Amino acid sequence: MSRLALIAGAGALPAELAAHLPDRPLVCAPDGIAPEGLQVDLPFRFERLAPFLRALGDRGIDTVVMAGAVHRPRLDPALFDRETASLVPGLLAALQGGDDAALRWIIALIEDFDLRVLGVADLAPDLIVAEGVLSARAPGPAEQADADRGLAVLAALDPVDVGQGCIVASGQCLAVEALFGTDAMLADTARHRPLREPQTGGVLVKRAKAGQDLRADLPTIGPATIAGARAAGLTGLCLQAGRVIVLDRACTLAEADAAGIALWAVP
């Protein structure tokens, strides 16, 4: 029988994923990260990544899933073991290529230690949004047009591995998600919208990047996303079906309905 390790980042996703699993996984987390609602069994440091991965095999782990937010760490050169230090040039080169390139490098490294890597969609498909309208209100023509524009913007950014979201209102791209994530993009939009038209309306579009390895860093929304969208004056959220995680779905949909926000997923 497979033994699973959950490499947990910040936020609610690790606990929600663990609740969907038949058996409790070995919960691992980078030093300094405390996933919400989960006790960490095995903390680790990125400077000692090789010994950590070897320790998983020693514990009988054969499968790994990654879930939750992990920001790029500050590395302490004094803490590296020799084997992990030898990996640093490859990691730094991958980081220059963007988040997806870095995650591909990490997945390949985990597999080099004879560990299988699965994604959230493999283990808890119910967390992934299906095509259709999720909210009480369906999007109107203007919102659908903004969503189409947003999807085109994100498709144009695919080759440079920039982000998984953008905001479009009246056909204008107000913001593109970059390193600081969706919450920061929404907060920045809320701060700047009073300064120019259109001051309200618009759609947040979330989708995976073309060619992205879907075993890590799937786009994720939850109640906080709805709160941020409401503060930014948005009226719609368009998601990519089969590629976006919806956390605490009942609460997320209730918050969207209370805010009058249309929430839907497209192929």
Side-chain angles (χ1 to χ4, degrees):
M1 184 175 66
S2 173
R3 288 209 60 203
L4 178 70
L6 167 58
I7 298 180
L13 176 57
E16 191 152 351
L17 171 59
H20 279 72
L21 300 176
D23 300 301
R24 188 185 187 280
L26 178 74
V27 178
C28 313
D31 189 54
I33 289 182
E36 295 176 18
L38 274 183
Q39 180 178 345
V40 176
D41 303 310
L42 182 61
F44 68 92
R45 294 193 64 95
F46 284 101
E47 296 93 338
R48 299 189 59 79
L49 194 54
F52 162 66
L53 294 174
R54 190 164 285 109
L56 294 182
D58 293 342
R59 288 173 176 248
I61 299 296
D62 58 20
T63 305
V64 169
V65 62
M66 294 181 285
V70 177
H71 300 297
R72 299 187 184 201
R74 291 185 178 181
L75 303 177
D76 184 345
L79 297 179
F80 278 101
D81 66 281
R82 182 173 298 179
E83 185 176 7
T84 305
S86 71
L87 302 172
V88 170
L91 173 58
L92 293 179
L95 286 171
Q96 293 300 314
D99 287 345
D100 192 50
L103 287 167
R104 286 179 181 276
W105 184 90
I106 291 172
I107 288 172
L109 175 65
I110 293 171
E111 292 175 333
D112 284 344
F113 281 80
D114 296 322
L115 298 164
R116 180 176 58 153
V117 180
L118 295 179
V120 172
D122 300 312
L123 296 168
D126 289 348
L127 294 179
I128 310 297
V129 68
E131 182 180 352
V133 177
L134 287 78
S135 56
R137 184 177 72 81
E143 291 163 331
Q144 291 176 329
D146 281 343
D148 290 341
R149 171 70 170 156
L151 290 168
V153 168
L154 293 177
L157 292 172
D158 280 338
V160 289
D161 190 9
V162 169
Q164 301 171 322
C166 69
I167 295 171
V168 175
S170 300
Q172 300 181 59
C173 184
L174 306 186
V176 172
E177 179 185 341
L179 185 63
F180 299 116
T182 304
D183 290 347
M185 175 179 65
L186 289 167
D188 190 59
T189 301
R191 186 165 56 252
H192 287 94
R193 288 209 81 169
L195 304 179
R196 60 180 298 173
E197 297 293 336
Q199 294 184 356
T200 59
V203 174
L204 165 64
V205 180
K206 290 284 289 181
R207 49 150 272 188
K209 287 170 275 192
Q212 178 179 333
D213 192 319
L214 301 178
R215 291 175 291 176
D217 194 30
L218 278 182
T220 302
I221 72 160
T225 314
I226 303 300
R230 187 175 194 170
L234 305 183
T235 59
L237 267 74
C238 178
L239 312 176
Q240 182 184 24
R243 297 290 186 271
V244 179
I245 296 168
V246 179
L247 293 174
D248 196 351
R249 185 168 300 203
C251 181
T252 297
L253 297 183
E255 292 291 331
D257 290 341
I261 291 175
L263 178 58
W264 76 104
V266 298

